[in-house]
Amino acid sequence: MDIQQPLSLLGGLTAAQFMRRHWQKKPLLVRQALPQWSAPLSRAEVFALAAREEVESRLVQQVEGTWRMRQGPFARRALPALQQADWTLLVQGVDLHDERAHALLQQFRFVPEARLDDLMISYASNGGGVGPHFDSYDVFLLQAHGRRRWRIGRQKDLSLRDDVPLKVLAQFEPEEEYVLEPGDMLYLPPRYAHDGIAEGECMTYSIGFRAPARAELAQELLTRLSEEADAEDRPVLYRDATQAAVAQPGAIPEGLQAFARDALQRALAEPLALERALGEYLTEPKSNVWFDAEAAAVMLEGVALDRRSRMMYDAHHVFINGESYRAAGRDATLMRRLADQRWLDHRDLARASDDALALLSSWCDAGWAHSRPRTEADA
Ligand code: SIN
Ligand code: CO
């Protein structure tokens, strides 16, 4: 993607300008971010997704000034009537299940893949909404069908009501108000208060991001590092040949504290272990994702990643779906290109080493990638 090119998606800003001026800082309203766009998924298709076991969905209903929430899946008949006001169906991770939703998400890859989360679709009947709230992550709210009135505010008081089953602000102080029409989009940074109410039936697509929480990341990485250290041939045990007799047996020996600190320092000092653990963690598929293995795919013409595959790289590795590979030279360049653009053409494959081809073909067998027919653009 050319990050210096003005984009209608960002109201004429380049991706570079948007990231500098707005990302994690301040909202951006874009009228006709996607001009003449017609939303790819119909209401019936959204309802069909919500009926599937492996798709995460929620139903939110306002009843007499309060909210009710249920988790899916929802058979069609379990949803309220379309004429009934004040309900919303939210379907998470649509990009994992629908190629068109996945393609839409790709337009936002001016943000690193490591930060991109998913595409959520909400369907609301007239008056529907999830109440005034804030999200912990950045979001682009793209109006897909019908109209929604958004009220937003910078408020500091983020205390929540404790009498409802979802996160609803106790005191909402909106400062601005916009009615979004199909193709319009609103970007909000994390913790920006907002409330969107459907004016008539409407659908909104939320392009969502993720950001690791420090404590959770530390826990995850330490577990992975310790698993790697555990693979040592012979466990290194704490030894204390110089331990003196103690009159206070409850006290933890200082030597044992030093041993513990040394154990962690060694795990961290292991060359590239942290980088490897991070890449594997970031590319780990979500728990509701599985791949359809394919019988011996032939990929003479090109290869494309499956929409569910997460692929990233660092200076020494490529990562895909929780696995890491060391890569250098021409193969590394090739694998990085695959991670960045998510496909390779026949010219790329012609330059690949036998090892790289074998790897790509094993990924095709696993359903992580698919052979891609030659297109006009490849000629
Ligand atoms: C919605 O689409 O109804 C809610 C999205 C949001 O406010 O984050
Ligand atoms: Co929100």
Side-chain angles (χ1 to χ4, degrees), residues 130 133-135 139 141 150 194:
V130 297
H133 66 283
F134 66 92
D135 297 302
V139 66
L141 298 155
W150 286 102
H194 56 287

Side-chain angles (χ1 to χ4, degrees), residues 116-133:
L116 205 51
D117 188 16
D118 75 337
L119 182 85
M120 177 181 87
I121 299 185
S122 70
Y123 168 86
S125 70
N126 184 34
V130 297
H133 66 283

Side-chain angles (χ1 to χ4, degrees), residues 175-219:
E175 297 168 310
E176 283 160 273
E177 182 167 320
Y178 311 106
V179 176
L180 267 64
E181 308 263 350
D184 292 348
M185 188 171 77
L186 178 61
Y187 162 77
L188 294 177
R191 301 170 78 77
Y192 215 92
H194 56 287
D195 186 21
I197 297 176
E199 303 209 327
E201 166 190 87
C202 93
M203 279 199 269
T204 303
Y205 288 12
S206 298
I207 291 88
F209 295 84
R210 57 179 191 159
R214 188 163 56 187
E216 200 182 309
L217 187 63
Q219 187 186 15

Side-chain angles (χ1 to χ4, degrees), residues 96-204:
L96 296 172
H97 309 288
D98 186 279
E99 202 57 48
R100 299 159 299 174
H102 173 74
L104 178 65
L105 201 56
Q106 304 314 298
Q107 297 200 37
F108 295 85
R109 288 177 91 235
F110 52 84
V111 182
E113 178 94 16
R115 295 280 274 110
L116 205 51
D117 188 16
D118 75 337
L119 182 85
M120 177 181 87
I121 299 185
S122 70
Y123 168 86
S125 70
N126 184 34
V130 297
H133 66 283
F134 66 92
D135 297 302
S136 308
Y137 308 105
D138 309 76
V139 66
F140 289 94
L141 298 155
L142 172 62
Q143 193 57 24
H145 170 79
R147 290 149 50 107
R148 188 187 282 275
R149 182 176 299 273
W150 286 102
R151 292 180 303 150
I152 66 173
R154 271 168 309 177
Q155 68 190 68
K156 294 273 178 292
D157 175 8
L158 296 178
S159 42
L160 300 175
R161 274 175 65 164
D162 56 12
D163 59 339
V164 286
L166 57 168
K167 279 176 32 180
V168 175
L169 286 166
Q171 301 285 339
F172 180 45
E173 297 147 27
E175 297 168 310
E176 283 160 273
E177 182 167 320
Y178 311 106
V179 176
L180 267 64
E181 308 263 350
D184 292 348
M185 188 171 77
L186 178 61
Y187 162 77
L188 294 177
R191 301 170 78 77
Y192 215 92
H194 56 287
D195 186 21
I197 297 176
E199 303 209 327
E201 166 190 87
C202 93
M203 279 199 269
T204 303

Side-chain angles (χ1 to χ4, degrees), residues 302-357:
V303 66
L305 291 181
D306 183 85
R307 64 172 177 268
R308 287 157 288 207
S309 281
R310 300 191 77 111
M311 187 173 183
M312 296 171 207
Y313 55 86
D314 66 18
H316 303 277
H317 309 91
V318 297
F319 305 99
I320 180 168
N321 298 331
E323 296 199 359
S324 53
Y325 304 85
R326 286 300 289 268
R330 214 161 55 183
D331 283 347
T333 310
L334 189 77
M335 292 303 185
R336 287 176 192 174
R337 177 177 302 168
L338 178 60
D340 285 334
Q341 69 182 15
R342 298 185 66 85
W343 54 267
L344 296 174
D345 67 14
H346 66 284
R347 284 164 304 202
D348 298 317
L349 293 186
R351 285 192 290 266
S353 72
D354 287 349
D355 283 350
L357 286 175

Side-chain angles (χ1 to χ4, degrees), residues 185-332:
M185 188 171 77
L186 178 61
Y187 162 77
L188 294 177
R191 301 170 78 77
Y192 215 92
H194 56 287
D195 186 21
I197 297 176
E199 303 209 327
E201 166 190 87
C202 93
M203 279 199 269
T204 303
Y205 288 12
S206 298
I207 291 88
F209 295 84
R210 57 179 191 159
R214 188 163 56 187
E216 200 182 309
L217 187 63
Q219 187 186 15
E220 181 63 43
L221 296 178
L222 284 173
T223 307
R224 287 169 185 265
L225 289 174
S226 68
E227 279 162 8
E228 244 184 78
D230 213 28
E232 283 171 0
D233 292 344
R234 215 156 35 94
V236 179
L237 301 184
Y238 171 60
R239 297 179 62 174
D240 55 356
T242 57
Q243 174 69 56
V246 293
Q248 284 118 0
I252 295 172
E254 277 178 21
L256 188 45
Q257 290 173 329
F259 183 75
R261 182 164 291 107
D262 178 62
L264 284 185
Q265 276 163 353
R266 276 171 191 270
L268 280 171
E270 187 64 37
L272 302 179
L274 179 72
E275 289 80 352
R276 198 157 47 239
L278 179 63
E280 291 176 3
Y281 169 60
L282 291 173
T283 57
E284 197 71 69
K286 290 186 181 167
S287 58
N288 62 342
V289 165
W290 61 84
F291 294 90
D292 309 312
E294 272 177 18
V298 192
M299 14 144 256
L300 295 172
E301 316 222 297
V303 66
L305 291 181
D306 183 85
R307 64 172 177 268
R308 287 157 288 207
S309 281
R310 300 191 77 111
M311 187 173 183
M312 296 171 207
Y313 55 86
D314 66 18
H316 303 277
H317 309 91
V318 297
F319 305 99
I320 180 168
N321 298 331
E323 296 199 359
S324 53
Y325 304 85
R326 286 300 289 268
R330 214 161 55 183
D331 283 347

